[in-house]
mmCIF file of all heavy atoms in Angstrom:
data_model
loop_
_atom_site.group_PDB
_atom_site.id
_atom_site.type_symbol
_atom_site.label_atom_id
_atom_site.label_comp_id
_atom_site.label_asym_id
_atom_site.label_seq_id
_atom_site.Cartn_x
_atom_site.Cartn_y
_atom_site.Cartn_z
ATOM 1 N N ALA F 100 -8.135 9.106 -9.692
ATOM 2 C CA ALA F 100 -8.503 10.508 -9.934
ATOM 3 C C ALA F 100 -10.019 10.672 -9.995
ATOM 4 O O ALA F 100 -10.573 11.654 -9.496
ATOM 5 C CB ALA F 100 -7.871 10.995 -11.233
ATOM 6 N N HIS F 101 -10.698 9.701 -10.593
ATOM 7 C CA HIS F 101 -12.157 9.742 -10.669
ATOM 8 C C HIS F 101 -12.766 9.595 -9.274
ATOM 9 O O HIS F 101 -13.718 10.297 -8.927
ATOM 10 C CB HIS F 101 -12.648 8.624 -11.591
ATOM 11 C CG HIS F 101 -14.104 8.664 -11.895
ATOM 12 N ND1 HIS F 101 -15.050 8.058 -11.086
ATOM 13 C CD2 HIS F 101 -14.811 9.252 -12.901
ATOM 14 C CE1 HIS F 101 -16.257 8.256 -11.588
ATOM 15 N NE2 HIS F 101 -16.144 8.978 -12.681
ATOM 16 N N ARG F 102 -12.202 8.705 -8.470
ATOM 17 C CA ARG F 102 -12.711 8.483 -7.110
ATOM 18 C C ARG F 102 -12.574 9.743 -6.260
ATOM 19 O O ARG F 102 -13.462 10.076 -5.474
ATOM 20 C CB ARG F 102 -11.943 7.333 -6.447
ATOM 21 C CG ARG F 102 -12.483 6.913 -5.093
ATOM 22 C CD ARG F 102 -11.483 6.039 -4.353
ATOM 23 N NE ARG F 102 -10.865 5.026 -5.185
ATOM 24 C CZ ARG F 102 -9.824 4.292 -4.797
ATOM 25 N NH1 ARG F 102 -9.283 4.475 -3.604
ATOM 26 N NH2 ARG F 102 -9.298 3.396 -5.613
ATOM 27 N N TRP F 103 -11.477 10.461 -6.441
ATOM 28 C CA TRP F 103 -11.228 11.673 -5.655
ATOM 29 C C TRP F 103 -11.725 12.940 -6.354
ATOM 30 O O TRP F 103 -11.504 14.050 -5.863
ATOM 31 C CB TRP F 103 -9.729 11.806 -5.366
ATOM 32 C CG TRP F 103 -9.228 10.834 -4.344
ATOM 33 C CD1 TRP F 103 -9.980 10.131 -3.441
ATOM 34 C CD2 TRP F 103 -7.867 10.472 -4.101
ATOM 35 N NE1 TRP F 103 -9.175 9.352 -2.660
ATOM 36 C CE2 TRP F 103 -7.860 9.531 -3.036
ATOM 37 C CE3 TRP F 103 -6.657 10.839 -4.675
ATOM 38 C CZ2 TRP F 103 -6.690 8.969 -2.547
ATOM 39 C CZ3 TRP F 103 -5.487 10.273 -4.178
ATOM 40 C CH2 TRP F 103 -5.506 9.355 -3.133
ATOM 41 N N GLN F 104 -12.360 12.775 -7.487
ATOM 42 C CA GLN F 104 -12.936 13.900 -8.242
ATOM 43 C C GLN F 104 -11.885 14.957 -8.608
ATOM 44 O O GLN F 104 -12.130 16.159 -8.493
ATOM 45 C CB GLN F 104 -14.104 14.531 -7.464
ATOM 46 C CG GLN F 104 -15.293 13.586 -7.316
ATOM 47 C CD GLN F 104 -16.468 14.212 -6.603
ATOM 48 O OE1 GLN F 104 -16.596 15.426 -6.531
ATOM 49 N NE2 GLN F 104 -17.362 13.383 -6.086
ATOM 50 N N LEU F 105 -10.738 14.476 -9.040
ATOM 51 C CA LEU F 105 -9.704 15.356 -9.595
ATOM 52 C C LEU F 105 -10.020 15.515 -11.084
ATOM 53 O O LEU F 105 -9.433 14.855 -11.948
ATOM 54 C CB LEU F 105 -8.318 14.733 -9.395
ATOM 55 C CG LEU F 105 -7.816 14.677 -7.949
ATOM 56 C CD1 LEU F 105 -6.730 13.630 -7.780
ATOM 57 C CD2 LEU F 105 -7.302 16.052 -7.525
ATOM 58 N N LEU F 106 -10.970 16.393 -11.379
ATOM 59 C CA LEU F 106 -11.577 16.419 -12.708
ATOM 60 C C LEU F 106 -10.587 16.754 -13.811
ATOM 61 O O LEU F 106 -10.629 16.151 -14.892
ATOM 62 C CB LEU F 106 -12.744 17.422 -12.710
ATOM 63 C CG LEU F 106 -13.854 17.124 -11.686
ATOM 64 C CD1 LEU F 106 -14.977 18.129 -11.816
ATOM 65 C CD2 LEU F 106 -14.377 15.697 -11.844
ATOM 66 N N HIS F 107 -9.686 17.712 -13.575
ATOM 67 C CA HIS F 107 -8.730 18.061 -14.627
ATOM 68 C C HIS F 107 -7.732 16.929 -14.858
ATOM 69 O O HIS F 107 -7.275 16.704 -15.986
ATOM 70 C CB HIS F 107 -8.000 19.355 -14.276
ATOM 71 C CG HIS F 107 -7.011 19.248 -13.155
ATOM 72 N ND1 HIS F 107 -7.383 19.019 -11.857
ATOM 73 C CD2 HIS F 107 -5.647 19.323 -13.155
ATOM 74 C CE1 HIS F 107 -6.297 18.964 -11.091
ATOM 75 N NE2 HIS F 107 -5.236 19.145 -11.855
ATOM 76 N N VAL F 108 -7.422 16.166 -13.809
ATOM 77 C CA VAL F 108 -6.530 15.014 -13.955
ATOM 78 C C VAL F 108 -7.229 13.901 -14.722
ATOM 79 O O VAL F 108 -6.616 13.228 -15.556
ATOM 80 C CB VAL F 108 -6.059 14.523 -12.568
ATOM 81 C CG1 VAL F 108 -5.229 13.248 -12.695
ATOM 82 C CG2 VAL F 108 -5.259 15.609 -11.866
ATOM 83 N N VAL F 109 -8.516 13.711 -14.445
ATOM 84 C CA VAL F 109 -9.296 12.720 -15.194
ATOM 85 C C VAL F 109 -9.258 13.033 -16.689
ATOM 86 O O VAL F 109 -9.050 12.139 -17.520
ATOM 87 C CB VAL F 109 -10.762 12.679 -14.701
ATOM 88 C CG1 VAL F 109 -11.629 11.841 -15.640
ATOM 89 C CG2 VAL F 109 -10.833 12.111 -13.292
ATOM 90 N N GLN F 110 -9.445 14.294 -17.037
ATOM 91 C CA GLN F 110 -9.437 14.689 -18.445
ATOM 92 C C GLN F 110 -8.081 14.414 -19.102
ATOM 93 O O GLN F 110 -8.006 13.904 -20.216
ATOM 94 C CB GLN F 110 -9.788 16.169 -18.573
ATOM 95 C CG GLN F 110 -11.237 16.484 -18.209
ATOM 96 C CD GLN F 110 -11.522 17.980 -18.219
ATOM 97 O OE1 GLN F 110 -10.623 18.803 -18.358
ATOM 98 N NE2 GLN F 110 -12.784 18.340 -18.069
ATOM 99 N N LEU F 111 -6.996 14.741 -18.396
ATOM 100 C CA LEU F 111 -5.655 14.522 -18.937
ATOM 101 C C LEU F 111 -5.382 13.033 -19.136
ATOM 102 O O LEU F 111 -4.846 12.616 -20.177
ATOM 103 C CB LEU F 111 -4.607 15.125 -17.998
ATOM 104 C CG LEU F 111 -4.580 16.652 -17.912
ATOM 105 C CD1 LEU F 111 -3.689 17.099 -16.754
ATOM 106 C CD2 LEU F 111 -4.076 17.254 -19.219
ATOM 107 N N LEU F 112 -5.750 12.224 -18.160
ATOM 108 C CA LEU F 112 -5.511 10.787 -18.252
ATOM 109 C C LEU F 112 -6.409 10.131 -19.290
ATOM 110 O O LEU F 112 -6.000 9.191 -19.980
ATOM 111 C CB LEU F 112 -5.721 10.140 -16.884
ATOM 112 C CG LEU F 112 -4.655 10.455 -15.834
ATOM 113 C CD1 LEU F 112 -5.109 10.004 -14.452
ATOM 114 C CD2 LEU F 112 -3.331 9.785 -16.198
ATOM 115 N N GLU F 113 -7.635 10.632 -19.399
ATOM 116 C CA GLU F 113 -8.551 10.097 -20.403
ATOM 117 C C GLU F 113 -8.000 10.335 -21.805
ATOM 118 O O GLU F 113 -8.015 9.446 -22.665
ATOM 119 C CB GLU F 113 -9.923 10.740 -20.261
ATOM 120 C CG GLU F 113 -10.964 10.186 -21.228
ATOM 121 C CD GLU F 113 -12.309 10.876 -21.110
ATOM 122 O OE1 GLU F 113 -12.425 11.862 -20.359
ATOM 123 O OE2 GLU F 113 -13.253 10.429 -21.786
ATOM 124 N N GLN F 114 -7.496 11.533 -22.056
ATOM 125 C CA GLN F 114 -6.912 11.854 -23.358
ATOM 126 C C GLN F 114 -5.679 10.999 -23.635
ATOM 127 O O GLN F 114 -5.489 10.500 -24.751
ATOM 128 C CB GLN F 114 -6.552 13.339 -23.410
ATOM 129 C CG GLN F 114 -7.760 14.265 -23.416
ATOM 130 C CD GLN F 114 -7.380 15.722 -23.221
ATOM 131 O OE1 GLN F 114 -6.212 16.056 -23.104
ATOM 132 N NE2 GLN F 114 -8.373 16.597 -23.174
ATOM 133 N N ALA F 115 -4.831 10.833 -22.617
ATOM 134 C CA ALA F 115 -3.627 10.007 -22.782
ATOM 135 C C ALA F 115 -3.995 8.560 -23.065
ATOM 136 O O ALA F 115 -3.379 7.908 -23.922
ATOM 137 C CB ALA F 115 -2.757 10.105 -21.527
ATOM 138 N N GLY F 116 -5.008 8.058 -22.368
ATOM 139 C CA GLY F 116 -5.444 6.686 -22.595
ATOM 140 C C GLY F 116 -6.030 6.484 -23.977
ATOM 141 O O GLY F 116 -5.782 5.471 -24.631
ATOM 142 N N ALA F 117 -6.810 7.447 -24.435
ATOM 143 C CA ALA F 117 -7.446 7.343 -25.758
ATOM 144 C C ALA F 117 -6.409 7.269 -26.868
ATOM 145 O O ALA F 117 -6.640 6.623 -27.897
ATOM 146 C CB ALA F 117 -8.369 8.542 -25.981
ATOM 147 N N ARG F 118 -5.259 7.904 -26.660
ATOM 148 C CA ARG F 118 -4.204 7.886 -27.683
ATOM 149 C C ARG F 118 -3.426 6.575 -27.696
ATOM 150 O O ARG F 118 -2.685 6.312 -28.642
ATOM 151 C CB ARG F 118 -3.223 9.044 -27.450
ATOM 152 C CG ARG F 118 -3.809 10.426 -27.707
ATOM 153 C CD ARG F 118 -2.718 11.479 -27.763
ATOM 154 N NE ARG F 118 -2.007 11.597 -26.503
ATOM 155 C CZ ARG F 118 -2.329 12.481 -25.555
ATOM 156 N NH1 ARG F 118 -3.366 13.292 -25.730
ATOM 157 N NH2 ARG F 118 -1.631 12.539 -24.436
#
Side-chain angles (χ1 to χ4, degrees):
H101 188 273
R102 186 195 316 169
W103 287 342
Q104 294 182 21
L105 291 159
L106 301 183
H107 71 292
V108 175
V109 170
Q110 291 175 352
L111 291 169
L112 289 168
E113 183 182 6
Q114 292 170 1
R118 291 193 297 266

